[in-house]
């Protein structure tokens, strides 16, 4: 049973009691998960032969896609979605963190390189993607939209309109793919950041999220009317505690995901340094099968005399 939240002219339905676990599963999230799996397996399976130079899916790509679907299912189809939308701000932050900081690298790595090459044959799309995936552009765009999302006036306004909220979440998800593109590229021939540039990029991304997290953690009062009358998900957590926990969860999950990316960037840098060191230590190979230089007849005669 829902009750209306109408402070300051806003109306936001909140449950009078916690939703039942078994009834809190989201049907649309389940359908999207099943449809995405069917589309992926069909497009890169039986329909793959229609594309030139296509290759079968590798076990790694299948594992990446399976992990991506599992993450999306937990975030968008499980009761976490219902609790996050109607009951707990920290549950909502956990959901958003999974979608924005954990899901994108698995999606990028699940798409076969030949599919990316076919998509990027269009010059207009290739130029647009080159601009949007520029490290500075992707960092500023994603973190600006995420910070705006957490401003109380914008957050409560978006939450009142289900369609607007879905569109904004979709925009954030697309920008999250752009954010991860420079450090998790699927096209070997595209220009990549060097390992040290990746490390600097990830550190900058972690710093750029601090304003949004600080807004949640250091606020002295609950900021969002959308959760003001909601029943507590955890009895001993107040609304302010739940809000601060949401900020901590978002930053923690971002640090863990970026930390994994930093580890792989460090390994890539270490391997390159080892290869360079081995190449420098190799002795120069002697010249083989090089015929001796024949002496001129005049010099030979002078030697006899």
């Amino acid at each position: 049973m829902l009750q209306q939240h109408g402070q300051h002219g806003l109306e936001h339905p909140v449950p009078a009691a916690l939703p039942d676990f078994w009834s809190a599963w989201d049907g649309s999230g389940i359908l999207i998960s099943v449809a995405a799996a069917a589309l992926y397996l069909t497009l890169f399976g039986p329909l793959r032969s229609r594309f030139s130079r296509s290759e079968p899916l590798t076990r790694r790509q299948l594992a990446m896609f399976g992990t991506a679907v599992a993450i999306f299912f937990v975030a968008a189809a499980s009761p976490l979605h219902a609790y996050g939308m109607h009951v707990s701000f920290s549950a909502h932050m956990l959901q958003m963190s999974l979608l924005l900081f954990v899901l994108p690298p698995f999606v990028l790595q699940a798409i076969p390189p030949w599919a990316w090459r076919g998509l990027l044959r269009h010059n207009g799309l290739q130029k647009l993607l080159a601009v949007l995936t520029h490290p500075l552009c992707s960092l500023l765009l994603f973190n600006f939209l995420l910070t705006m999302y957490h401003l109380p006036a914008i957050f409560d306004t978006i939450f009142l309109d289900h369609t607007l909220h879905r569109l904004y979440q979709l925009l954030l998800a697309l920008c999250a793919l752009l954010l991860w593109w420079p450090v998790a590229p699927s096209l070997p021939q595209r220009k990549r950041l060097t390992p040290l540039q990746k490390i600097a990029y990830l550190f900058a991304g972690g710093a750029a999220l601090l304003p949004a997290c600080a807004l949640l953690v250091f606020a002295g009062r609950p900021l969002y009317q959308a959760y003001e009358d909601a029943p507590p998900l955890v009895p001993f957590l107040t609304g302010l505690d739940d809000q601060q926990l949401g900020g901590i969860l978002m930053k923690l999950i971002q640090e863990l995901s970026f930390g994994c990316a930093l580890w792989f960037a460090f390994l890539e840098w270490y391997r390159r340094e080892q290869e360079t060191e081995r190449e420098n230590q190799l002795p120069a190979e002697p010249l083989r099968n090089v015929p001796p230089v024949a002496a001129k007849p005049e010099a030979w005669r002078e030697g006899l005399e």
Side-chain angles (χ1 to χ4, degrees), residues 10-70:
L10 298 179
E11 292 187 356
H12 181 77
V14 296
L18 287 177
D20 178 68
F21 178 83
W22 298 109
S23 63
W25 293 83
D26 187 76
S28 61
I30 296 174
L31 289 177
I32 293 174
S33 301
V34 174
L39 179 63
Y40 180 86
L41 295 176
T42 303
L43 183 62
F44 302 126
L47 296 182
R48 176 180 55 83
S49 59
R50 298 188 178 185
F51 302 95
S52 60
R53 297 183 179 181
S54 60
E55 301 172 354
L57 291 171
T58 64
R59 291 183 179 180
R60 182 176 182 275
Q61 290 165 350
L62 286 171
M64 289 290 177
F65 179 75
T67 305
V69 171

Side-chain angles (χ1 to χ4, degrees), residues 66-121:
T67 305
V69 171
I71 294 170
F72 179 84
F73 187 85
V74 170
S78 74
L80 177 64
H81 173 72
Y83 294 148
M85 290 296 295
H86 302 292
V87 178
S88 171
F89 179 79
S90 61
H92 179 61
M93 285 296 95
L94 176 58
Q95 175 196 19
M96 294 292 289
S97 299
L98 290 174
L99 293 175
L100 300 180
F101 299 123
V102 182
L103 178 63
F106 289 99
V107 173
L108 290 174
Q109 295 297 321
I111 305 299
W114 61 263
W116 287 120
R117 287 193 295 265
L119 182 64
L120 296 177
R121 286 176 183 171

Side-chain angles (χ1 to χ4, degrees), residues 178-197:
L178 299 177
L179 176 75
W180 279 97
W181 183 281
V183 293
S186 297
L187 292 177
Q189 70 273 22
R190 287 187 62 83
K191 182 180 180 181
R192 294 188 181 188
L193 297 178
T194 66
L196 291 180
Q197 288 173 336

Side-chain angles (χ1 to χ4, degrees), residues 116-117 119-135 137 178 181 187 190:
W116 287 120
R117 287 193 295 265
L119 182 64
L120 296 177
R121 286 176 183 171
H122 305 282
N123 290 332
L125 182 59
Q126 187 173 4
K127 292 179 180 178
L128 177 62
L129 189 61
V131 173
L132 293 178
T133 57
H134 187 278
C137 180
L178 299 177
W181 183 281
L187 292 177
R190 287 187 62 83

